Amino acid sequence: MGNLIISRLDYTRIKKCISDAKRNKTISDFEAKELLTELNSAKIVEPQAVPSNLVTMNSVVKLSFLNSNKHVQFRIVYPDEANLKDHRISIFSPIATALIGYKVGDVIEWVVPAGLTQLKIDEIVYQPEAAGNFDL
């Protein structure tokens, strides 16, 4: 933490999602606190200033699990758009929370049921800001 960057639009929308989810009791206090901690540690920038190698909302990300050499690809989306079958992962999921605001090449430690694992961000296949889509 500490070097995370997030767009002002993503920051505002994610905070609203957390507030709505807490009101509707669709997010645990722990999950909300974890995500808010990540958000509040980030540097907030305008969408046009987001680096193209940064994981943002609606980014399609390729990752590798360093301990197993397994590779995955998914899009980080808002909770109402999540669909595992279509590889759309909610920002409320622990893996999306762990990745948002980090850059290609970063290695993130993440706790899975089997214990601590390390994920490497290999590539951002699509990032809305880099594509000029600032309203996603």
Side-chain angles (χ1 to χ4, degrees):
M1 285 198 239
N3 59 350
L4 298 178
I5 300 170
I6 191 165
S7 81
R8 185 170 309 285
L9 185 57
D10 284 354
Y11 179 82
T12 302
R13 286 180 177 171
I14 294 168
K15 284 194 79 162
K16 183 181 183 324
C17 283
I18 293 169
S19 177
D20 291 348
K22 285 175 73 174
R23 186 176 54 254
N24 296 327
K25 299 189 183 329
T26 56
I27 189 173
S28 73
D29 287 338
F30 175 78
E31 291 169 322
K33 184 179 177 187
E34 287 288 304
L35 187 49
L36 285 169
T37 298
E38 287 284 311
L39 288 175
N40 292 330
S41 72
K43 177 181 176 184
I44 310 300
V45 301
E46 293 305 317
Q48 296 83 350
V50 170
S52 62
N53 64 342
L54 186 80
V55 178
T56 65
M57 289 303 301
N58 290 299
S59 289
V60 177
V61 183
K62 282 188 180 181
L63 306 172
S64 53
F65 289 78
L66 298 182
N67 62 331
S68 68
N69 209 24
K70 178 182 175 185
H71 301 276
V72 295
Q73 177 176 308
F74 56 82
R75 178 184 297 256
I76 298 175
V77 298
Y78 294 99
D80 62 331
E81 301 167 356
N83 182 328
L84 288 177
K85 184 179 171 187
D86 293 333
H87 305 281
R88 298 167 70 87
I89 308 293
S90 169
I91 184 60
F92 289 175
S93 71
I95 191 168
T97 298
L99 294 171
I100 198 82
Y102 283 94
K103 296 178 181 172
V104 172
D106 285 348
V107 174
I108 295 108
E109 291 188 342
W110 185 48
V111 179
V112 295
L116 187 67
T117 190
Q118 290 186 319
L119 301 167
K120 182 178 180 194
I121 302 172
D122 295 323
E123 180 183 352
I124 296 176
V125 177
Y126 170 80
Q127 184 213 60
E129 293 81 1
N133 296 328
F134 301 113
D135 295 330
L136 287 180

